[in-house]
Structures are given as C-alpha cells and as structure tokens.
Amino acid sequence: MTTDPRFRVPLVILTALLVQVTLLSRLRLFGVVPNLMLLVAVAGGITGGPVRGAVIGFASGLAIDIFLETPLGLSALVFSIVGYTVGAVETGILRAAWWIPVLTAFGACAAGEALFAVAAQVVGRPDLLSARLAIIVVIVGITSAMLALPVVRVVGWSLLKNTPRRTTVFS
C-alpha cells in the first residue's frame, strides 16, 4: 500500500496543504505568502510529465481553493494548466543539471501567479490584477525556487510505483 502512488500522491498533497495553511500562511514576505500548492503542481509536471502534472495540479488547486476567497475551481484550473505545461516542456529538456528544476519552478510559479490574476479578472475578480502583481510574481517565484529541490524530490517519490533503495529524481 505504501508503494502505491494512489496512496502517496494524496498524502503529499494533504501534507503540502497543511504546511501551506498552517506555516506558510503566517510567513509573509512584503505581504506575499509563498505558494507551496502551485509548486506541488509544478513538481508534478517536472517529475511525472504533462498528464500527471495536470492531475496533481488539479488536485492541489482544488485542495487550496477550499481556503481561498476566490471562485471555487479557479486555482484548480490554473494549477492544471501550469502542471501540464511544465510537464510538456520538461519532457523535451535534458534534466542533467540540478538547477533546471529550480529555474523551472521560478518561471512556472511566477507565470502561474500571473495567470491566476488574469483568470480571476475573467471570472469577475478584477482586484487581483493590480500593480502589486509584479511583487507577488517575483516573491512567489523566488520562494518556489528556494523550495524546489525538496518538493520535486518528494513529489517524484510519490509518483514512483516501486521505490528502489537509491532513487534520484534527476536520473
């Protein structure tokens, strides 16, 4: 049972959700909260490809949507798009360097925050698309890059069917 991704992926998403709403929600850098749930979607795309990235993005987005004051499903939609896109782009890139997931996390999470603000504008929440968006995008990108390696490793572990004794995410 513990080697089954159907058990480990929800466990990782729920753990990330608990960390997001208990610890990271209190950690504000210039008034911006790091977005661990978006990073989980990006890590799903990096380690699992486009389909798994979209599924993990949808699940992590729906989980965090319960706690946000935005329309239900908005995060799920955006995180699915980001997870799929990262998975599609990552399949064409050789992942030999350790810094590629870090750079990917920075760019994808920053783009995901901008996409979230644009999608919120479309569904009637124009207050999220403001001049402050640039600060939010940069801070979420930086914090995501800082957390990228451990999150990619944990999400990669959750997607493996049978974990060998020595597994690396980047091999």
Side-chain angles (χ1 to χ4, degrees):
M1 182 159 132
T2 58
T3 61
D4 191 358
R6 292 177 294 180
F7 172 74
R8 290 190 293 200
V9 171
L11 180 67
V12 167
I13 290 172
L14 286 175
T15 303
L17 179 66
L18 285 173
V19 170
Q20 179 73 50
V21 299
T22 58
L23 298 175
L24 294 180
S25 64
R26 299 177 201 279
L27 175 69
R28 295 183 183 272
L29 303 168
F30 300 103
V32 178
V33 176
N35 197 338
L36 180 62
M37 300 307 286
L38 178 57
L39 181 57
V40 167
V42 169
I46 290 171
T47 59
V51 174
R52 288 183 177 169
V55 170
I56 291 174
F58 181 80
S60 63
L62 200 56
I64 196 63
D65 267 339
I66 297 168
F67 297 95
L68 298 178
E69 296 177 9
T70 55
L72 184 65
L74 186 61
S75 295
L77 171 68
V78 171
F79 292 8
S80 294
I81 293 169
V82 171
Y84 182 86
T85 304
V86 167
V89 170
E90 279 291 312
T91 55
I93 296 176
L94 179 65
R95 289 182 266 162
W98 66 269
W99 50 267
I100 291 176
V102 174
L103 206 58
T104 302
F106 176 83
C109 288
E113 286 294 326
L115 181 61
F116 184 83
V118 170
Q121 173 83 22
V122 170
V123 296
R125 288 290 309 266
D127 56 320
L128 298 178
L129 193 59
S130 66
R132 185 165 158 65
L133 182 61
I135 295 170
I136 294 169
V137 164
V138 169
I139 291 178
V140 168
I142 290 171
T143 57
S144 296
M146 291 169 47
L147 297 171
L149 293 178
V151 171
V152 167
R153 190 167 195 97
V154 169
V155 171
W157 166 82
S158 73
L159 290 173
L160 292 175
K161 188 76 170 168
N162 292 317
T163 309
R165 291 188 178 193
R166 301 203 77 156
T167 304
T168 60
V169 175
F170 308 112
S171 60

